[in-house]
Amino acid sequence: MFVSIAFLSVVGASSALLLYFVAKKFHVEEDPRIADVNEALPGANCGGCGFPGCAGFAKACVDADTLDGLFCTVGGNDTMLKVADILGRTAVTAEPQIAVVRCNGTCEARPKTNTFDGATSCAVAASLYGGETDCSYGCLGMGDCTLVCDFDAIHMNPETGLPEVDQDKCTACGACVKACPKMIIELRRKGPRNMRIFVSCVNKDKGAVAKRACANACIGCSLCLKECKFDAITINDQLSYIDSTKCRLCRKCVPVCPTNAIHELNFPPRKEKKEVQTEKVD
């Protein structure tokens, strides 16, 4: 018994010495600035920056020669200013973005034609069939996007059956964008005073087919394209798209859309046109 104990003690001590020398030989000194940058980050670990957590982003910032292409979506410009100050580099700023749901196929506008009796997952449903309506492009309504949001910024509206983004909570991390199998969610410029205009539809069917499937669908009529003076609107595959980097927020495209597929958010109410009455002269 004594021999066994002595043997195990020798083995343990030898292993400890071996691990000590291995650790010494392969020890890598970490740049202390990584910890400083990590401390300046919000700690959300959302992956919106494209790296596995804040620690990964902090290391990438320290290792890079410039901060170009590196941006913390949660912390925004204020956080990047802190990071730049720590590293003695030029700060990279970006226009604030927000997640936008590009589907207006409400329960009323896009009635169900069948019922899906399977797992309540958009990813599963999308892999099996086109959806419970005649629009195979629209939201499936099962809320995968809400489950992946770490900021409680997106919820399903029970009346419309569509997801809605809370603009005060959204950090533009992009998790909901990746989770949506129908690709109806995109990141767009938040806009001055949160004002933005976008086409809330991704249906690429021809106009008549799209309109039958959803009363709110874009039908590719080109009226908005003709109205825009800033080349901000393009039409591809019978679908209009507004480039947020070119849009001047003039709103002239909104009232000409026959299906109300173009949405304007956070604008002041439009002024009603006064009818000019003219007296008839006998």
Side-chain angles (χ1 to χ4, degrees), residues 26-234:
F26 294 100
H27 175 68
V28 177
E29 290 288 343
E30 185 177 82
D31 192 321
R33 294 178 300 171
I34 295 177
D36 294 337
V37 171
N38 193 24
E39 185 68 25
L41 298 175
N45 294 309
C46 63
C49 58
F51 294 90
C54 293
F57 180 70
K59 186 176 186 306
C61 289
V62 173
D63 292 344
D65 295 328
T66 75
L67 294 177
D68 292 345
L70 297 168
F71 192 79
C72 173
T73 58
V74 177
N77 292 329
D78 291 340
T79 293
M80 293 310 299
L81 285 170
K82 293 178 183 178
V83 172
D85 185 57
I86 293 170
L87 300 178
R89 295 176 187 159
T90 303
V92 175
T93 58
E95 183 108 22
Q97 291 188 312
I98 191 171
V100 168
V101 178
R102 293 187 58 216
C103 178
N104 194 32
T106 61
C107 299
E108 183 179 357
R110 187 174 52 127
K112 288 186 178 182
T113 55
N114 63 88
T115 301
F116 176 68
D117 187 19
T120 54
S121 164
C122 296
V124 173
S127 66
L128 297 176
Y129 81 139
E132 295 181 325
T133 71
D134 287 337
C135 176
S136 60
Y137 295 90
C139 175
L140 293 167
M142 298 179 188
D144 286 17
C145 53
T146 66
L147 298 176
V148 299
C149 182
D150 291 333
F151 306 96
D152 193 36
I154 186 166
H155 302 93
M156 299 302 296
N157 184 319
E159 294 184 3
T160 63
L162 298 171
E164 293 181 348
V165 177
D166 186 331
Q167 64 183 23
D168 295 324
K169 293 182 178 180
C170 180
T171 61
C173 70
C176 59
V177 177
K178 297 173 184 175
C180 180
K182 293 293 185 177
M183 296 181 288
I184 66 166
I185 305 177
E186 72 167 330
L187 297 180
R188 294 177 66 87
R189 288 175 60 190
K190 204 167 187 178
R193 298 185 297 282
N194 285 327
M195 295 187 299
R196 49 194 175 274
I197 299 174
F198 60 95
V199 178
S200 186
C201 182
V202 295
N203 194 323
K204 296 180 181 179
D205 289 331
K206 291 184 177 180
V209 177
K211 188 69 167 25
R212 280 197 299 269
C214 177
N216 296 333
C218 171
I219 57 176
C221 64
S222 301
L223 291 177
C224 56
L225 176 66
K226 295 173 183 176
E227 193 68 30
C228 183
K229 309 301 181 187
F230 307 105
D231 295 324
I233 299 178
T234 54

